[in-house]
């Protein structure tokens, strides 16, 4: 299915993106759910997917983590099932993310889907990411508060971090095809009116702490020779116990020089940002294809499909996929990014065939079975 999203992106980015929450009514006209609650329940029985059931019966919060073997004993209401990264496993659900691919793709995390019964929700909380919550079947009442660093958060259950009561700036019901956009840091609470499905398209960036730690690991692995602090212009200091401001500055410069080195920083970031945040449906070819055989299969008309939601980015004239560099010309890379399905005619030159052979053997692309 092709989802058509009616958003004025210029207006949205200028007025709302990472600034304030908003409800976009009927952003999807005549919305059709890409998945059924039964299918979602089936996915939550698989080990590779992260799932949880949150209950709030009689004001008591509880959370259980999947994979689930059954759904007995849950009762009629006040429970919801939440499944992360459904786009990685369910092709139809993945199509719902397509219209959001105009936002820088390296910031996209996943599509989380929740099925909720009457009165269910995960409680008032604050997320560390920006999210478009698309309402599917049913209705939900959302209360969103203003951003405020002083809110107190507390564990309503060991797996549920809630936030103290806040004054809503949005308090509305949404129905199929409506979107609630919530920037990082705004407290929110969604309570299902009856049975409902919600689709959360999440965008996540990394903290400076995570970036520094990731870059440090890369530098340790990729720069075998240490770079030492040196000060050949040293004059005897009046107080040898004191570290002088110029010395601190030189130390900072020593570190910043590494970060500013594009050979290091760009290569690290391309690899780092394409490492999957959730398990992917990657099955390496077994046995691995040989080049001749690979070319024959392609020539016979077989299509190559990219693993749903595998992370792929471009930095200058280099591309990265799933934590690895792809050594191909940019024209080919553009094609690999833009289309999920490839044919022989698009891959004929020797270099491309060899690289694709490696990527297919790794399981990043696979042959259509039909
Ligand atoms: C839900 O879909 O139940 C929770 C989504 C959220 O508040 O982040
Ligand atoms: Co949330």
């Amino acid at each position: 299915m092709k989802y058509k999203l009616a958003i004025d992106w210029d207006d949205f980015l200028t007025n709302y993106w990472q600034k304030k929450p908003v409800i976009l009514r009927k952003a999807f006209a005549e919305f059709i759910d890409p998945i059924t609650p039964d299918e979602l329940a089936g996915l939550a029985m698989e080990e590779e997917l992260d799932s949880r059931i949150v209950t709030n019966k009689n004001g008591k919060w509880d959370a259980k983590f999947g994979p689930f073997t059954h759904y007995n004993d849950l009762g009629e209401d006040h429970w919801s099932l939440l499944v992360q990264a459904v786009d990685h496993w369910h092709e139809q659900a993945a199509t719902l993310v397509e219209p959001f691919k105009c936002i820088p793709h390296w910031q996209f995390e996943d599509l989380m889907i929740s099925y909720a019964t009457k009165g269910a929700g995960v409680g008032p909380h604050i997320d560390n990411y920006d999210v478009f919550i698309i309402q599917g079947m049913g209705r939900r009442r959302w209360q969103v508060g203003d951003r405020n660093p002083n809110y107190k958060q507390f564990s309503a259950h060991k797996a549920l971090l809630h936030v103290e009561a806040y004054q809503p700036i949005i308090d509305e019901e949404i129905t199929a095809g409506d979107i609630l956009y919530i920037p990082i840091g705004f407290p929110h609470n969604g309570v299902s009116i009856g049975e409902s499905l919600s689709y959360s398209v999440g965008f996540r960036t990394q903290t400076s702490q995570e970036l520094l730690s990731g870059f440090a690991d890369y530098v340790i692995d990729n720069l075998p020779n240490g770079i030492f602090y040196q000060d050949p212009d040293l004059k005897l200091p009046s107080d040898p116990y004191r570290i002088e401001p110029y010395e601190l500055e030189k130390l900072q410069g020593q570190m910043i020089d590494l970060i500013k080195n594009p050979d290091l920083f760009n290569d690290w970031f391309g690899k780092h940002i394409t490492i999957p945040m959730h398990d992917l449906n990657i099955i390496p070819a077994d046995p691995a294809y040989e080049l001749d055989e690979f070319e024959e299969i392609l020539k016979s008309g077989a299509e190559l499909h990219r693993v749903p939601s595998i992370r792929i980015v471009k930095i200058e004239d280099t591309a990265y996929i799933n934590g690895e560099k792809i050594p191909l010309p940019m024209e080919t890379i553009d094609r690999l990014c833009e289309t999920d399905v490839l044919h022989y005619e698009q891959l004929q030159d020797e270099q491309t065939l060899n690289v694709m052979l490696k990527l297919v053997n790794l399981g990043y692309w696979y042959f259509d079975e039909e």
Side-chain angles (χ1 to χ4, degrees):
M1 187 185 317
K2 213 167 158 44
Y3 283 99
K4 242 179 116 341
L5 177 59
I7 291 188
D8 177 342
W9 284 110
D10 283 343
D11 175 64
F12 174 80
L13 294 178
T14 308
N15 295 305
Y16 303 106
W17 175 250
Q18 299 191 329
K19 298 169 197 72
K20 59 179 180 202
V22 64
I23 290 179
L24 306 162
R25 295 267 173 212
K26 291 288 164 268
F28 287 102
E30 292 164 32
F31 185 82
I32 296 171
D33 289 282
I35 196 166
T36 64
D38 278 351
E39 278 178 283
L40 191 69
L43 287 175
M45 292 178 149
E46 305 286 341
E47 213 160 279
E48 292 87 354
L49 285 97
D50 288 329
S51 56
R52 52 194 177 124
I53 290 175
V54 176
T55 57
N56 58 332
K57 304 227 182 232
N58 307 315
K60 187 177 172 303
W61 290 96
D62 194 13
K64 294 208 165 31
F65 291 86
F68 298 102
T69 51
H70 66 85
Y71 298 95
N72 308 331
D73 317 322
L74 286 166
E76 292 286 299
D77 49 36
H78 289 88
W79 65 269
S80 61
L81 168 68
L82 301 100
V83 188
Q84 290 295 145
V86 179
D87 55 306
H88 294 34
W89 298 90
H90 190 280
E91 288 197 17
Q92 198 56 49
T95 61
L96 189 49
V97 176
E98 291 292 324
F100 297 92
K101 288 195 173 163
C102 54
I103 295 177
H105 199 56
W106 62 272
Q107 300 183 25
F108 171 67
E109 181 178 4
D110 72 332
L111 173 73
M112 190 276 283
I113 304 185
S114 73
Y115 165 75
T117 56
K118 183 173 168 226
V122 298
H125 66 280
I126 298 175
D127 289 317
N128 285 329
Y129 50 85
D130 286 72
V131 65
F132 295 87
I133 301 178
I134 304 159
Q135 183 62 42
M137 72 167 201
R139 289 179 298 148
R140 230 180 230 249
R141 176 181 174 189
W142 285 97
Q143 292 183 305
V144 186
D146 213 346
R147 189 148 46 189
N148 180 341
N150 300 322
Y151 287 129
K152 286 194 184 46
Q153 298 184 71
F154 60 95
S155 295
H157 171 273
K158 61 182 184 306
L160 289 172
L161 187 62
H162 279 181
V163 63
E164 65 179 335
Y166 53 84
Q167 184 62 37
I169 53 171
I170 288 179
D171 184 352
E172 293 189 45
E173 257 180 53
I174 60 172
T175 62
D178 294 342
I179 294 180
L180 167 64
Y181 165 72
I182 311 173
I184 184 169
F186 284 75
H188 54 278
N189 187 24
V191 178
S192 193
I193 310 289
E195 249 188 313
S196 71
L197 278 169
S198 308
Y199 303 86
S200 298
V201 179
F203 288 84
R204 184 189 289 273
T205 53
Q206 301 202 341
T207 62
S208 307
Q209 293 86 328
E210 287 166 323
L211 292 171
L212 273 177
S213 152
F215 185 64
D217 289 344
Y218 174 91
V219 169
I220 289 163
D221 291 345
N222 289 276
L223 270 190
N225 298 326
I227 302 166
F228 293 93
Y229 173 89
Q230 291 196 305
D231 184 5
D233 300 325
L234 183 68
K235 305 270 179 302
L236 282 189
S238 56
D239 178 357
Y241 289 92
R242 175 169 298 283
I243 304 173
E244 297 295 340
Y246 91 87
E247 292 177 305
L248 294 170
E249 237 173 79
K250 268 173 80 72
L251 286 162
Q252 283 174 342
Q254 187 180 342
M255 295 173 76
I256 290 166
D257 283 350
L258 282 182
I259 296 176
K260 287 214 162 153
N261 178 334
D263 289 342
L264 293 175
F265 190 82
N266 296 5
D267 187 58
W268 162 69
F269 195 64
K271 289 175 177 163
H272 176 75
I273 204 64
T274 54
I275 290 171
M277 298 188 202
H278 301 273
D279 280 353
L280 288 160
N281 192 5
I282 291 179
I283 306 166
D286 185 21
Y289 295 101
E290 300 290 340
L291 185 60
D292 294 356
E293 177 196 9
F294 179 62
E295 198 169 351
E296 275 315 305
I297 302 173
L298 279 170
K299 267 190 193 160
S300 72
E303 289 177 335
L304 277 178
H305 289 244
R306 195 172 69 204
V307 163
S309 297
I310 194 165
R311 299 175 71 79
I312 183 164
V313 300
K314 298 173 241 179
I315 298 180
E316 295 190 340
D317 55 2
T318 309
Y320 299 86
I321 188 165
N322 207 40
E324 295 180 54
K325 203 176 197 156
I326 318 180
L328 282 176
M330 199 33 77
E331 196 191 326
T332 317
I333 295 292
D334 286 342
R335 200 173 299 135
L336 298 191
C337 291
E338 281 153 22
T339 165
D340 293 342
V341 182
L342 295 164
H343 309 274
Y344 182 60
E345 297 70 49
Q346 299 164 311
L347 307 168
Q348 280 179 26
D349 73 276
E350 206 184 312
Q351 186 195 6
T352 307
L353 271 180
N354 275 295
V355 172
M356 286 312 293
L357 171 67
K358 183 185 158 220
L359 297 175
V360 169
N361 282 334
L362 285 168
Y364 298 176
W365 272 264
Y366 57 89
F367 283 114
D368 184 8
E369 296 291 302
E370 284 128 351

